[in-house]
Amino acid sequence: MENKPIIVDSSFSAVINAPIEKINIPEWCFTLPEHEYQACSPAHISAGVTTSPDGKRMSINVEILGGNPMVQHYLETVSEPAHLILESVSDVFTPTGRVTILVHWEMSVKKIDDNTCEFTNRVISRPTEEFMKGLEKQGIPFELFKTQRQPVSIYHNQSETPLFAKSIERHALRQN
């Protein structure tokens, strides 16, 4: 995925008022109730959990960004209590049809002190070959698409990050 051009690379942080020892991001992610996912952004439609054919955990998220419905098929690639990386070949439904983009979603926490942590939510999206061919077929330069997509994606990440942090905090404080 690293050799593809970047559409968006955004990262935001927020404070979690819980000890790092109580935080388990993968556990939070794969037990997150749909209503709580929806409460983290007006763009969030639905979320669920399944497994890939090889048995890895997957988070399926549905959201609407910039007027385009997306279905994200996040596969767990790094899973540690303070660090989770999910990779997705996401479906994007556009007025001209369904295309795919690559999404790298990374969440991590680092200790600030005994009772607080800093949560970081980073999202990187890249085009698939199919996506680039679709842009070319429509006569849309990649840089123009990227310029138009960035504000929507960056705003989404910026607004959901503190709400994810609060949700992780609630999850952590419920743990024994």
Side-chain angles (χ1 to χ4, degrees), residues 41-168:
S41 172
H44 292 175
I45 306 302
S46 185
V49 175
T50 189
T51 54
S52 67
D54 63 356
K56 289 187 178 181
R57 291 190 291 188
M58 291 179 70
S59 174
I60 306 297
N61 299 356
V62 179
E63 59 187 8
I64 298 177
L65 286 183
N68 299 112
M70 293 181 69
V71 179
Q72 297 151 333
H73 314 268
Y74 286 116
L75 184 63
E76 181 179 37
T77 60
V78 171
S79 185
E80 300 162 357
H83 191 206
L84 176 64
I85 296 178
L86 303 167
E87 302 280 347
S88 174
V89 178
S90 298
D91 297 304
V92 181
F93 298 86
T94 72
T96 57
R98 178 176 159 185
V99 295
T100 56
I101 63 169
L102 306 171
V103 182
H104 170 96
W105 184 18
E106 183 170 3
M107 294 173 278
S108 61
V109 290
K110 64 181 180 188
K111 183 176 181 172
I112 295 173
D113 60 35
D114 288 347
N115 297 308
T116 56
C117 306
E118 181 182 61
F119 169 69
T120 300
N121 185 28
R122 183 177 186 199
V123 179
I124 303 169
S125 61
R126 298 174 190 270
T128 59
E129 278 187 46
E130 167 216 29
F131 186 86
M132 293 298 279
K133 286 178 184 170
L135 285 179
E136 190 177 306
K137 194 184 290 185
Q138 296 175 66
I140 301 170
F142 175 74
E143 288 302 318
L144 175 61
F145 170 80
K146 178 178 167 176
T147 300
Q148 292 174 339
R149 184 65 177 195
Q150 283 183 344
V152 170
S153 296
I154 291 169
Y155 174 77
H156 178 74
N157 190 7
Q158 183 178 24
S159 60
E160 77 183 355
T161 295
L163 299 172
F164 279 155
K166 282 293 175 201
S167 179
I168 293 167

Side-chain angles (χ1 to χ4, degrees), residues 14-33:
V15 172
I16 294 176
N17 294 302
I20 197 163
E21 297 79 22
K22 289 188 173 260
I23 293 173
N24 187 321
I25 298 172
E27 182 182 281
W28 165 80
C29 180
F30 292 104
T31 62
L32 183 65

